[in-house]
């Protein structure tokens, strides 16, 4: 079997594949370049950069499996693959802790203005009163999605003595209760939370689920953390809500289009941004590759 690895993947995973298969690593291919060579391969391994479109799948005459070294499958057209009998697999737990810890880092950075205070001091300004923060203790954390990452965030947020509410139509109240979360409606998440954190896949049902209407129902002190997928939130609406003081802030790791160098969210000083670093730990990259 011939395997093509089309995005950077940790060597520990590549070594395992090489024991069994003929493996080529060709990263940074343009869509037309990938389309031109995919016909030679039985398996394709990607992370989030490569878009596995119906065109690529059609050209992959020998393809049997598309593997995602990571969780989100929104860059792979599963319908097109399924129609051709191609199996799509992911690595659902390899980067859970990395994404969880990045979420908590974003919450704490928001609560205590860490990035802005760091920037000011390095520019020579000692502004202690400008960066008055809030504590996580006693605040309500609304968790959208109680899968692997949402559940681990819940476990750690309990240590901060936060009060946890969650929305997930696929988990039972007993499961939620076991991780200290009270299941509520989406509306209750929006209206009651001090922090809202998203841990959902991007699907036709979830795309744009937080827009101007939902933001308008949130507390003026609410803060949103998105380390899931950019397309879940209307970015223009989020920018306006933060800038107009309808909510207190946001911390965003993922964008509707990436790389997101000119994204509207990068223009607000009240929004913390990171370049899709949720899974970027040494441990997680080995985890998803293996
Ligand atoms: C994932 O879906 O696994 C994460 O967003 C990380 C990534 O895209 O590499």
């Amino acid at each position: 079997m011939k395997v093509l690895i089309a995005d950077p993947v940790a060597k520990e995973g590549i070594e395992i594949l090489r024991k069994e298969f003929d493996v080529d690593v060709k990263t940074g291919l343009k869509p037309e370049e990938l389309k031109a060579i995919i016909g030679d391969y039985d398996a394709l391994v990607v992370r989030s950069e490569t878009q596995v479109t119906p065109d690529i799948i059609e050209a992959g005459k020998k393809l049997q499996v598309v593997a995602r070294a990571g969780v989100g499958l929104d860059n792979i057209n599963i319908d097109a693959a399924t129609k051709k009998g191609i199996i799509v697999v992911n690595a659902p737990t390899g980067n859970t802790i990395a994404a969880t810890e990045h979420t908590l880092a974003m919450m704490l950075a928001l609560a205590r203005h860490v990035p802005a205070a760091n920037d000011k001091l390095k520019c020579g300004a000692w502004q202690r009163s400008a960066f008055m923060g809030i504590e996580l203790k006693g605040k309500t954390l609304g968790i959208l999605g109680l899968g692997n990452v949402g559940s681990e965030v819940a476990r750690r947020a309990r240590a901060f003595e936060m009060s946890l509410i969650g929305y997930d139509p696929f988990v039972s109240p007993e499961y939620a209760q076991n991780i200290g979360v009270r299941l509520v409606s989406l509306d209750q998440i929006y209206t009651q939370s001090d922090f809202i954190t998203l841990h959902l896949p991007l699907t036709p049902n979830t795309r744009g689920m937080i827009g101007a209407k939902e933001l308008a129902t949130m507390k003026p002190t609410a803060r949103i953390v998105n380390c899931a997928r950019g397309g879940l939130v209307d970015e223009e609406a989020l920018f306006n809500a933060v800038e107009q003081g309808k909510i207190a802030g946001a911390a965003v790791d993922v964008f509707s289009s990436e790389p997101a160098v000119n994204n509207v969210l990068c223009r607000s000083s009240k929004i913390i941004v990171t370049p899709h670093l949720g899974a970027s730990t040494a441990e997680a990259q080995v985890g998803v590759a293996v």
Side-chain angles (χ1 to χ4, degrees):
M1 276 183 79
K2 281 192 78 177
V3 179
L4 174 64
I5 300 182
D7 287 323
V9 164
K11 66 174 183 350
E12 287 81 351
I14 300 175
E15 278 160 13
I16 293 171
L17 283 178
R18 283 209 161 119
K19 286 190 190 137
E20 305 283 342
F21 308 116
D22 179 2
V23 179
D24 288 337
V25 180
K26 294 183 183 176
T27 58
L29 296 172
K30 295 198 175 69
E32 57 277 16
E33 292 170 333
L34 177 59
K35 197 173 157 187
I37 61 168
I38 193 66
D40 289 342
Y41 293 94
D42 304 278
L44 171 66
V45 179
V46 299
R47 279 178 57 202
S48 56
E49 291 86 350
T50 298
Q51 298 300 312
V52 188
T53 58
D55 250 20
I56 301 292
I57 285 166
E58 196 47 49
K61 297 289 178 216
K62 291 162 56 185
L63 267 187
Q64 294 180 44
V65 57
V66 177
R68 165 76 163 94
V71 182
L73 291 167
D74 43 294
N75 57 320
I76 300 170
N77 194 307
I78 298 175
D79 281 348
T82 303
K83 277 190 194 122
K84 288 198 65 195
I86 297 169
I87 296 169
V88 178
V89 296
N90 69 348
T93 56
N95 57 28
T96 302
I97 300 305
T100 300
E101 292 184 359
H102 197 62
T103 301
L104 290 160
M106 292 291 240
M107 276 169 57
L108 290 164
L110 258 181
R112 304 301 290 271
H113 311 287
V114 175
N118 171 76
D119 291 351
K120 278 281 178 216
L121 183 52
K122 286 184 176 166
C123 292
W126 183 263
Q127 293 185 346
R128 294 180 69 200
S129 56
F131 297 118
M132 187 62 68
I134 57 157
E135 293 176 7
L136 300 189
K137 180 176 174 172
K139 301 294 184 300
T140 298
L141 173 63
I143 306 176
L144 287 178
L146 291 167
N148 292 325
V149 181
S151 298
E152 291 299 334
V153 167
R155 290 192 177 97
R156 285 153 181 78
R158 283 172 77 181
F160 285 109
E161 299 182 56
M162 300 185 86
S163 157
L164 308 183
I165 55 176
Y167 175 79
D168 190 325
F170 300 105
V171 307
S172 65
E174 294 73 38
Y175 174 84
Q177 201 182 353
N178 279 339
I179 53 168
V181 177
R182 186 167 53 87
L183 286 184
V184 296
S185 68
L186 264 182
D187 282 352
Q188 286 169 305
I189 293 277
Y190 298 142
T191 56
Q192 295 178 11
S193 300
D194 300 300
F195 286 85
I196 296 176
T197 185
L198 284 76
H199 302 289
L200 306 158
L202 181 63
T203 68
N205 288 336
T206 59
R207 186 177 289 281
M209 65 183 284
I210 298 188
K213 187 166 127 280
E214 291 71 25
L215 288 159
T217 65
M218 294 177 191
K219 298 180 186 178
T221 51
R223 291 164 171 85
I224 296 181
V225 176
N226 187 5
C227 293
R229 279 297 177 267
L232 298 169
V233 182
D234 176 338
E235 292 167 336
E236 201 73 43
L238 178 60
F239 174 84
N240 290 334
V242 172
E243 282 296 296
Q244 292 163 11
K246 290 183 181 151
I247 65 169
V252 178
D253 184 49
V254 286
F255 301 86
S256 56
S257 168
E258 296 179 2
V261 278
N262 289 318
N263 190 283
V264 64
L265 300 177
C266 300
R267 286 183 226 140
S268 172
S269 59
K270 293 191 226 160
I271 299 178
I272 296 170
V273 290
T274 50
H276 203 147
L277 296 181
S280 295
T281 63
E283 295 88 342
Q285 286 315 309
V286 174
V288 295
V290 169

